[in-house]
Amino acid sequence: MIEEPFVNKILKGIGVSSGIGIGKVYLLERGRIPINKRSVKEKHIDREITKFRSAIQSAIDELNRIKETIPDADVKKHAFIIDTHMLMLQDEFFVNAVIDTIKNEKINAEWALDIIVSKFLAAFEKVEDAYLRERGQDIKHIYDRLVRILVKGKKSDIEWRNISNKALIVAHDLSPADTIQLNLNRIVGFAIDIGGRTSHTSIVARALEIPAVVGIGNITSLVRNNDTIIVDGDEGAVVINPTKEVEKGYILKQHRLKTQKREFLRIARLKPETKDGFKLKVGANIELIAEMDIAVRYGAMGIGLYRTEYIYLSRKTLPSTMDHFHIYKKLAENRALEYITVRTLDIGGDKFVSDVEMTKEINPAMGLRAIRLCIREIELFKSQLMGILRASAFGPLRILLPMVSGVDEVRKAKAVINECMDELRHKKIPFNENIKIGIMIEVPSTCLISDLLAREVDFFSIGTNDLIQYTLAIDRVNEYVSYLYAPLHPAVLRMIQKTVTDGHNNNIEVGLCGETAGEPLYVPILLGLELDEISMNPYIIPKTKKVIRGLEHSYCKELLQEILRKDSPKEAELIVRKEMARLFPEDFLKSYKE
Ligand code: PEP
Ligand code: MG
């Protein structure tokens, strides 16, 4: 029986890249292919072995082709994982084990492969070393590739020539090998079963401004190739087979968003200055080099926060100094950016890097993370610092240290930076001798001693995501306590205010790069606090500039005083919403009414 296709079926997920994509489904079936055991007659054994050998050859050919046709030079550098897969496919021990099983058991090639791979995987699972255990995943990838070839007799990779323009990729997940092959010009959206904001696909989608919804659960089992679907990256929704009327509504929304985007891009380069002449810098938070151009296009004056964790996430082994250097040099050479703040590795807590052995901790948010880990793993820290320092010869890079809790940590980190500088001087490698060193203010203790810390560093960057988490004791990834998350909590505002005052008394700049800076509603408060810089997701910059340019600084200072007198964050929030709805009805009336 042929099932009726869905009409207007709406699925919810997490919107991770803004915009509306309307297109035909290109289903990337990456689910397990069912295989059956078949007995093979003696006279057909050789045929089965030949089938297996030619599957191996096809898999190697496929991988070779993927390597040769990687469209992006940066991505090419990560192709070594494909070499590993090719070597495994040629491993005599593995190939012979499968062939012997076909012969001895008189069974079909895919069943023999399954037996051998299951044995290998069971052995890998017992390995204590985490790195070696991980290699089991590579065997699984090879297994999937071979089974696809054996069972379906067809290529298992994305045949981009077969994809029409305006394809909407639907997949359970995209492996790095999948993403490596994408010709992104043809794709109008992604709808993915699993993943979150920081998954591989999400980051790439955002960097390339392709609408994407992830974490949908089961979309791969609900759509067929060539179904029409709509991906709404703002609402985190997907509509399967929309009726003409629904599609028309989304086309209108798409036009509206495009017009808004054009309008935003038009105002993106305007100066962030209030009506009465108060200036501050507006920077961008980025995670990928590919986002650098977006930051500039959307009006960033500099990079307020470059989260470098992705450099570690996107490869199987730890990056070398030269890996770091090449990446930071690209940023440094961008003449449109006035400053580039490179934050040193901030893993632990809610962020992990598979290759760095982390101890299992009961309370990782307060554990051996970020600067604490770097100070302990000096070589890990130094290779990144050397990369930043070397690249500083090419442009205005700054170093930002995360998760600092006290003065001693800063001194230790600075001592390591000095060691790196000595080494470079000794080798006669140029770097910026006056590179600015700053710290994240995200642990409450640093606000209380911001006067002491301000004497040690060149700038502060307030990370409200963690500062709010630690001040109000609310786990930032725990949905049950998210209702307590309150940027306008008097404790948070007082801490920021003290930090700014202490910074300014010591003639250092104070910026803010947490999500609070990315909420235009809070702009008058941030202006009232007299921050020198705010840094945010690049897409928010134009709207933020519009709001800054529509406000009087004197008004913002008064509003801040009124808010600081409120003991209830809810009440404070309401006042700000009401004021913003009054001042910018076209932008904020809706959020006030809600
Ligand atoms: C913060 O904590 O506010 C911050 C900007 O850093 P991250 O979100 O990367 O922890
Ligand atoms: Mg943080």
Side-chain angles (χ1 to χ4, degrees), residues 172-213:
H172 180 66
D173 189 17
L174 286 179
S175 73
D178 294 328
T179 326
I180 269 175
Q181 303 169 73
L182 299 183
N183 176 350
L184 295 148
N185 297 331
R186 291 192 180 176
I187 297 165
V188 295
F190 290 106
I192 313 284
D193 279 348
I194 63 171
R197 266 196 77 73
T198 49
S199 65
H200 198 69
T201 320
S202 307
I203 291 173
V204 172
R206 267 200 303 282
L208 297 150
E209 300 188 68
I210 299 172
V213 177

Side-chain angles (χ1 to χ4, degrees), residues 44-173:
H44 291 145
I45 294 279
D46 281 347
R47 198 177 64 190
E48 211 57 30
I49 293 172
T50 310
K51 190 173 114 184
F52 177 64
R53 283 201 187 277
S54 82
I56 295 259
Q57 193 50 52
S58 303
I60 293 172
D61 292 346
E62 282 178 17
L63 290 171
N64 257 323
R65 208 194 56 234
I66 293 175
K67 251 186 83 178
E68 278 160 17
T69 54
I70 295 171
D72 189 317
D74 268 345
V75 178
K76 250 193 178 97
K77 289 186 210 133
H78 307 306
F80 60 85
I81 179 72
I82 292 175
D83 290 330
T84 321
H85 286 194
M86 286 202 275
L87 282 174
M88 284 180 172
L89 280 164
Q90 290 166 66
D91 185 287
E92 280 295 308
F93 182 68
F94 163 67
V95 174
N96 288 338
V98 176
I99 290 176
D100 288 347
T101 311
I102 296 173
K103 277 191 203 155
N104 300 338
E105 309 264 329
K106 298 190 180 32
I107 50 171
N108 50 327
E110 52 272 30
W111 198 256
L113 174 70
D114 195 82
I115 291 175
I116 294 303
V117 167
S118 303
K119 276 189 191 157
F120 277 19
L121 287 178
F124 268 93
E125 257 153 42
K126 288 196 201 113
V127 174
E128 271 205 15
D129 183 273
Y131 180 79
L132 270 179
R133 213 171 37 242
E134 263 282 299
R135 307 282 62 79
Q137 279 305 321
D138 292 323
I139 296 184
K140 266 194 191 142
H141 283 144
I142 291 168
Y143 168 87
D144 286 344
R145 187 172 289 280
L146 284 171
V147 166
R148 255 185 212 100
I149 296 169
L150 285 166
V151 173
K152 296 197 168 177
K154 68 173 189 187
K155 294 191 182 81
S156 50
D157 283 299
I158 311 168
E159 268 297 338
W160 287 104
R161 276 176 296 272
N162 296 343
I163 295 185
S164 58
N165 276 340
K166 298 196 171 182
L168 227 149
I169 302 294
V170 175
H172 180 66
D173 189 17

